[in-house]
Amino acid sequence: DQNGLIIEAKRVLKPGGKIIIYEFNKSKFSAKLISIFESIIFRKVFFRSKQEISEMLTNNKFRIINEKSRNFWFILVAENIK
């Protein structure tokens, strides 16, 4: 539950604390291959778009302070703004 993870991070982080999220870009073919491989091993895999994760973070009162994207992955760094 990715939203649950963000809620828990909000609970345990001090104001100004940071969360770093590394995720595969679900629209890229290589990420789809990784998803298939992981679903075979772990059975249940969820990749979300950068937009979806950004919205989950901002809805839980995090501020995106840095982001980086490459071909099939992205990183978001967000700060707890309690």
Side-chain angles (χ1 to χ4, degrees):
D1 176 22
Q2 293 167 330
N3 195 54
L5 173 96
I6 292 172
I7 290 168
E8 182 65 8
K10 178 75 177 173
R11 186 184 73 77
V12 299
L13 285 173
K14 295 178 182 179
K18 294 172 184 58
I19 182 172
I20 300 170
I21 297 177
Y22 174 95
E23 183 66 278
F24 294 104
N25 185 343
K26 71 179 186 178
S27 67
K28 301 295 182 181
F29 178 73
S30 50
K32 290 178 183 178
L33 287 176
I34 292 168
S35 174
I36 290 168
F37 176 73
E38 287 190 357
S39 66
I40 291 169
I41 295 172
F42 302 114
R43 295 208 171 95
K44 202 171 190 183
V45 177
F46 296 102
F47 290 136
R48 300 208 188 251
S49 70
K50 183 165 59 168
Q51 175 74 24
E52 291 171 318
I53 293 176
S54 295
E55 287 174 7
M56 283 193 290
L57 288 165
T58 55
N59 289 342
N60 285 288
K61 297 189 171 118
F62 279 91
R63 177 180 46 172
I64 308 294
I65 58 173
N66 198 354
E67 60 182 77
K68 182 179 265 191
S69 296
R70 290 291 183 258
N71 184 31
F72 66 93
W73 57 264
F74 62 89
I75 295 173
L76 293 171
V77 180
E79 181 178 48
N80 185 2
I81 57 172
K82 284 193 180 183

